[in-house]
Amino acid sequence: MFDFFIGLLFFVSSFSFSEFIEIESCDNDDSFSIVCGFQNPEDLYLSPSQNKIIISEFGSLAPNTKYGKISFYDLVSESKGIPNFFYEENTWGDPNCKLKSRQLSPHGIDLIQRDDGRYMLAVVNHLPSESIELFELVENDYIELIWRGCIDAPENKYFNDVALKTDGSFYITHMYDLDSSQWAIAFASMIKNSTGEVYFWNVNEGFSIVPNTSGSFPNGIDLDVNEENLYINYWFSGKTVKFNLKSLSVEFEHIGGGKDNLLVTDSGLWVAAHDYSGLESLQCDYSIIQCPLPFTIHHLALENLDVLGAYSFSKGQMGAATVALPYKNKIWLGSFHGDRIASFEFK
């Protein structure tokens, strides 16, 4: 075991890191329009009116205790807001799950119109314990979030992102176990071994593992509109896969960068990928306001993951993008470590 740690240290010390130029200002540049005032806006989703962006402001994973929040950005007034929260009975989640805190450390989110016509927002939450929090989203001029229930994660599991079905069930990525050491995660980032898989949950049967979905750090996930195929990102191995839920098999695969979040849209699949290693991400510690590391946004065909476009960025006013959200002629970006969202124009 000692020889293993010495070898790992040697590997890390000899690794060629990307050039690191800290981002300090909040100015627009030739590529990006910048909006500051956020805390790690890790995931983004358009509201039902498509006039607002729902934002998951990440806090921390346990055992750290830094909380985050859900916010939104109004695309019409170009202003940030915090939803009005209300708390009702648990009618959408596991009946045994209790609300533990009105604070959150949100990670991946998903929004869908349920079979009963109401809009459901699912939030992967890390604090005060690992859970999925379920809200009804009501949008008028403002955003209201009504707590409708929760689901406690299986013991020792860290979740990342969630994909809702219209009946209120969902698929969710398990990235790695809570008791995994930093050494084990660092080693997995190098050799790309399996660290997790996709789970399915419904109210009658609880959690179950989806066969043939294990991989190296499962990350972003989304469903097609017919709920027949999953799109899954694996951060360490750089894979995006189209997974057929009938045959329980991977039909198509795209490789490129460290794949973070993805979104299914009418225009195709939008995938944010990091052009650096998991080890290089350690450069973005808490002293850094905005992580500057390079990234690529991949635009892929839903049918077969053929490349429709790719947009690569480095040394700009936005780095380490985790999500790409198309809106009209712009792509909006969030980050796992930063104080801003940003947009760039595309044709």
Side-chain angles (χ1 to χ4, degrees), residues 59-105:
S60 65
L61 302 172
N64 297 316
T65 57
K66 183 178 182 180
Y67 283 88
K69 59 181 174 291
I70 300 295
S71 63
F72 66 87
Y73 180 70
D74 192 309
L75 292 160
V76 178
S77 64
E78 298 184 344
S79 60
K80 178 183 175 180
I82 302 297
N84 293 322
F85 283 83
F86 303 92
Y87 295 86
E88 302 292 346
E89 296 297 316
N90 181 352
T91 55
W92 286 359
D94 181 343
N96 296 317
C97 185
K98 307 298 182 184
L99 179 67
K100 299 168 186 64
S101 173
R102 296 188 178 187
Q103 290 183 288
L104 296 166
S105 177

Side-chain angles (χ1 to χ4, degrees), residues 245-257:
L245 288 166
K246 292 182 179 179
S247 63
L248 296 176
S249 63
V250 172
E251 289 190 334
F252 298 96
E253 187 176 282
H254 176 269
I255 304 289

Side-chain angles (χ1 to χ4, degrees), residues 34-301:
I34 304 295
V35 182
C36 286
F38 299 92
Q39 173 186 290
N40 307 329
E42 205 275 342
D43 205 2
L44 311 176
Y45 211 96
L46 276 179
S47 69
S49 72
Q50 299 193 348
N51 288 330
K52 302 176 184 68
I53 300 176
I54 311 301
I55 302 172
S56 169
E57 298 194 40
F58 180 74
S60 65
L61 302 172
N64 297 316
T65 57
K66 183 178 182 180
Y67 283 88
K69 59 181 174 291
I70 300 295
S71 63
F72 66 87
Y73 180 70
D74 192 309
L75 292 160
V76 178
S77 64
E78 298 184 344
S79 60
K80 178 183 175 180
I82 302 297
N84 293 322
F85 283 83
F86 303 92
Y87 295 86
E88 302 292 346
E89 296 297 316
N90 181 352
T91 55
W92 286 359
D94 181 343
N96 296 317
C97 185
K98 307 298 182 184
L99 179 67
K100 299 168 186 64
S101 173
R102 296 188 178 187
Q103 290 183 288
L104 296 166
S105 177
H107 205 151
I109 58 175
D110 195 21
L111 177 67
I112 199 168
Q113 187 170 23
R114 291 163 46 102
D115 292 332
D116 61 12
R118 294 184 288 178
Y119 284 94
M120 182 179 192
L121 179 73
V123 179
V124 176
N125 175 49
H126 298 303
L127 291 175
S129 61
E130 195 78 3
S131 65
I132 299 89
E133 304 293 323
L134 304 176
F135 298 89
E136 180 181 356
L137 187 148
V138 178
E139 181 181 19
N140 297 303
D141 292 334
Y142 215 69
I143 295 288
E144 293 182 356
L145 290 179
I146 306 166
W147 187 84
R148 296 292 187 191
C150 60
I151 303 99
D152 290 319
E155 186 176 358
N156 199 37
K157 304 300 179 187
Y158 263 143
F159 286 145
N160 186 295
D161 196 16
V162 58
L164 286 165
K165 297 185 66 175
T166 58
D167 64 1
S169 60
F170 57 80
Y171 296 91
I172 192 165
T173 47
H174 158 230
M175 49 186 174
Y176 58 87
D177 290 345
L178 274 73
D179 62 2
S180 299
S181 68
Q182 291 183 347
W183 286 108
I185 299 302
F187 190 62
S189 75
M190 292 183 288
I191 68 169
K192 320 302 183 191
N193 64 300
S194 178
T195 63
E197 56 279 302
V198 174
Y199 278 76
F200 176 70
W201 179 87
N202 65 29
V203 69
N204 295 320
E205 300 173 359
F207 284 104
S208 59
I209 293 175
V210 180
N212 305 320
T213 58
S214 63
S216 194
F217 202 116
N219 202 305
I221 191 170
D222 209 354
L223 270 168
D224 65 9
V225 293
N226 297 318
E227 300 184 350
E228 296 176 352
N229 298 283
L230 277 174
Y231 298 88
I232 311 164
N233 275 350
Y234 296 89
W235 189 37
F236 287 162
S237 61
K239 289 182 181 181
T240 299
V241 303
K242 181 178 181 180
F243 185 85
N244 188 301
L245 288 166
K246 292 182 179 179
S247 63
L248 296 176
S249 63
V250 172
E251 289 190 334
F252 298 96
E253 187 176 282
H254 176 269
I255 304 289
K259 300 295 185 57
D260 205 298
N261 288 334
L262 51 74
L263 283 174
V264 171
T265 72
D266 292 341
S267 62
L269 188 69
W270 292 89
V271 183
H274 300 153
D275 298 327
Y276 54 87
S277 71
L279 292 172
E280 287 177 281
S281 68
L282 298 177
Q283 297 174 94
C284 292
D285 61 23
Y286 290 108
S287 67
I288 303 298
I289 295 174
Q290 173 65 53
C291 183
L293 291 173
F295 64 93
T296 295
I297 303 305
H298 298 280
H299 184 198
L300 307 178

